[in-house]
Amino acid sequence: MESAAANRVRREDVARAVAALLRWLQHHPTPAPEPIYLLVTLKRAPVRRFEHTLRLPRSPFPSISLVSDRLPAELPDDIDPLPASALGSLPAAARRGLVLVDRRLRFPSAGKAAAKGRVVPVDLADPAWAESAREAALRVELRVEGGTCRAVRVGHAAMAQEEAVENLVAAVEAAAACVPRKWRNVRALHVKAPESIALPLYSSIGTGDDGKAEEAKRKGVAVEEQGIVKKSKKISSAGR
């Protein structure tokens, strides 16, 4: 039963939705790559606060930064150094990425400064701190504190399409397996960027999105792409 449930979201449908979203993001560049989210909508909210860690095949963060005034002698090439003073105002790229903060620093303002990314304390005295940081970059939280909808970060605009698809498929399967009552409690799944419309991936029987989801599958999310274009035109007109 569960193996059949894992196939409710077809990989080809995920690939079409991701391709449409990445095309839109390419036409709306930003100083740092925009995040990509999986929206999980439940039929019933959990009775208690629900929190679960999902491990993705690829990091959904476009960068990893290390904030410290005493950097290690050998800093990996994929980790960007930042001074402690940067905690008050992180660069745009760092705000969208994973921010490692030396445990010896006090960082009360880091959470707000990196609101669109994630801040993780790191012990630089540990010889394996870099490996631990890369592992942390693969993990995202599915947390439902109230209501029935939650966004989970699964990628970013600079990712290769196949990498984003791989992450999204893994996130869908992991999320549906860990929420209370599993697939029976999943009302709908969508993928979106902060300013785009939500592209449907799955809708349970009896919900109002059934027709839209099926139409998107048949037409290769052409309807959603048109909707994104219309939305972007409205945003451009409003800014004039």
Side-chain angles (χ1 to χ4, degrees), residues 14-240:
V14 173
R16 282 196 292 265
V18 168
L21 185 59
L22 289 178
R23 282 195 295 271
W24 184 85
L25 286 167
Q26 289 172 358
H27 286 88
H28 298 78
T30 53
E34 290 274 18
I36 296 174
Y37 297 104
L38 168 67
L39 300 186
V40 181
T41 305
L42 304 178
K43 295 177 183 177
R44 296 181 185 177
V47 177
R48 299 181 182 85
R49 173 179 171 174
F50 171 81
E51 184 174 341
H52 192 82
T53 300
L54 309 182
R55 189 181 188 280
L56 303 177
R58 311 273 184 169
S59 172
F61 302 99
S63 65
I64 302 178
S65 302
L66 172 62
V67 179
S68 177
D69 281 339
R70 289 178 286 182
L71 296 172
E74 295 184 4
L75 187 67
D77 293 337
D78 59 341
I79 298 179
D80 301 321
L82 290 173
S85 58
L87 282 177
S89 180
L90 289 169
R95 289 198 301 270
R96 293 289 170 87
L98 179 69
V99 181
L100 309 174
V101 180
D102 190 339
R103 286 186 182 275
R104 295 169 293 191
L105 298 177
R106 298 180 63 184
F107 51 100
S109 63
K112 184 176 181 180
K116 293 186 179 181
R118 185 152 61 102
V119 177
V120 176
V122 61
D123 182 7
L124 296 178
D126 181 359
W129 70 267
E131 290 76 7
S132 300
R134 294 190 186 95
E135 180 61 27
L138 298 174
R139 299 181 181 276
V140 293
E141 298 296 326
L142 173 59
R143 183 184 300 112
V144 181
E145 299 175 332
T148 58
C149 187
R150 183 63 183 174
V152 181
R153 182 166 185 161
V154 295
H156 57 84
M159 289 185 84
Q161 179 179 330
E162 187 55 34
E163 292 179 349
V165 169
E166 188 179 1
N167 269 11
L168 191 51
V169 169
V172 165
E173 294 176 352
C178 73
V179 297
R181 298 175 59 238
K182 303 187 185 322
W183 275 104
R184 290 175 296 169
N185 195 27
V186 178
R187 179 180 296 277
L189 299 169
H190 296 78
V191 61
K192 78 182 299 292
E195 299 299 327
S196 76
I197 66 169
L199 305 180
L201 300 173
Y202 169 80
S203 182
S204 65
I205 297 175
T207 65
D209 287 339
D210 288 348
K212 185 178 181 181
E214 289 304 316
E215 183 179 8
K217 291 178 180 179
R218 289 195 304 268
K219 297 184 178 180
V221 298
V223 173
E224 283 69 25
E225 288 188 74
Q226 292 173 8
I228 292 178
V229 172
K230 290 179 181 178
K231 178 182 177 69
S232 65
K233 287 182 179 179
K234 289 181 179 179
I235 294 174
S236 299
S237 298
R240 291 172 182 168

